[in-house]
Amino acid sequence: MTMPPSSTPPPHHPYGGPVPPPQPPGAFGAPQGYPSQGHPPQGLPSQYPGPGVPGPGAGAWGPPPVGPPKKKLSAGAIVAIVLGSLVLVGGLGYAAKAGLDGVTGSFPEATHRLVVPETLLAGRYTLVSDLSDTQGKEIEDTPDLTVKDARAAVGQYGGKGGATLVLSGMYGRIKNGEATRASILRGAATEKDSTLVVRPRDFTPAGYGVTVRCQVTTSKGGLGTTTLPMCAWGDDSTAAAVALVTPETATTDPKDIDLAELAETTVKIRAEVRKPLG
């Protein structure tokens, strides 16, 4: 008697070829019997690689990436935000609009000027651009009944780790230094897309005999919301603001910013850039 074959031959395709053997379920649960021909299942996005091609995650096709990659603020973006928010002319111009308190009477004699040095704080910050003749021109041309003979001093500095420091100020004959200091911060806080989050506070760092006022605003831009801390001073001859932003502090909760530290940095910078006339 003839024994039956030990195995059943594979069925034939109607056109003569053997039917492919069943395949185990794929990474996306394809039914058994799906032919492994290096093409993604119907409807699968075309960006997925074929079998055997390394994907972004586990599985033959790899799962889709979770969310877009996080973007870090570039130095150029930080500079744009700082200069866009810290427009000193907005603060100085506000003094003329908000009232004329203390305008009557004589103006003090100018005794000091501001300079824009190549470095600040023992080389920690290096001058990137002296903007005194560009942004500064707007400051000089803006009418302000509380200031006479105004000259601008504006500098953009770069520091370690992508830090950006902006000094924006003026010198001349200032009727009320404290009022001008307040106006500078008020003007920055009312800039377009800026929001005052930490209200102005006065600091008098030990050893300098100078009071500076500091605040924190947030500024909205194309890359999101950036935290912008700044301090300002004002006296009979000079008034300026210092803003310091790093990639870390740019995304820090405004309430976590150490304004006392920035105030000390500001008075140190004041001592370096404020020079006697003559």
Side-chain angles (χ1 to χ4, degrees), residues 9-27:
H12 283 69
H13 192 276
Y15 296 100
V19 175
Q23 300 292 325

Side-chain angles (χ1 to χ4, degrees), residues 144-173:
D144 189 335
L145 299 180
T146 67
V147 180
K148 283 187 176 181
D149 306 324
R151 297 291 301 274
V154 182
Q156 170 202 330
Y157 291 81
K160 185 178 179 181
T164 296
L165 185 148
V166 175
L167 167 70
S168 183
M170 51 80 66
Y171 59 97
R173 302 169 64 191

Side-chain angles (χ1 to χ4, degrees), residues 6 20 48 100 122 132 135 163 202 224 273:
S6 59
Y48 291 100
L100 303 180
S132 302
Q135 265 85 356
D202 287 347
V273 302

Side-chain angles (χ1 to χ4, degrees), residues 194-250:
S194 291
T195 302
L196 179 64
V197 181
V198 177
R199 297 180 62 82
R201 294 170 53 194
D202 287 347
F203 296 87
T204 306
Y208 290 90
V210 177
T211 297
V212 296
R213 185 165 296 176
C214 306
Q215 68 182 24
V216 184
T217 61
T218 57
S219 180
K220 292 183 179 179
L223 294 176
T225 300
T226 296
T227 297
L228 180 62
M230 67 185 75
C231 295
W233 80 81
D235 54 52
D236 288 349
S237 295
T238 68
V242 171
L244 177 58
V245 181
T246 69
E248 293 74 26
T249 60

Side-chain angles (χ1 to χ4, degrees), residues 261-275:
E261 181 179 1
L262 181 58
E264 186 168 350
T265 296
T266 299
V267 295
K268 290 178 179 178
I269 290 174
R270 178 182 182 272
E272 292 185 21
V273 302
R274 185 175 178 269
K275 303 293 184 180

Side-chain angles (χ1 to χ4, degrees), residues 19-82:
V19 175
Q23 300 292 325
F28 289 91
Q32 291 194 358
Y34 184 86
S36 178
Q37 297 176 340
H39 299 290
Q42 185 177 4
L44 191 66
S46 59
Q47 65 265 30
Y48 291 100
V53 180
W61 304 99
V66 180
K70 293 183 178 180
K71 294 181 179 180
K72 293 183 178 180
L73 287 176
S74 66
I78 294 174
V79 170
I81 292 171
V82 172

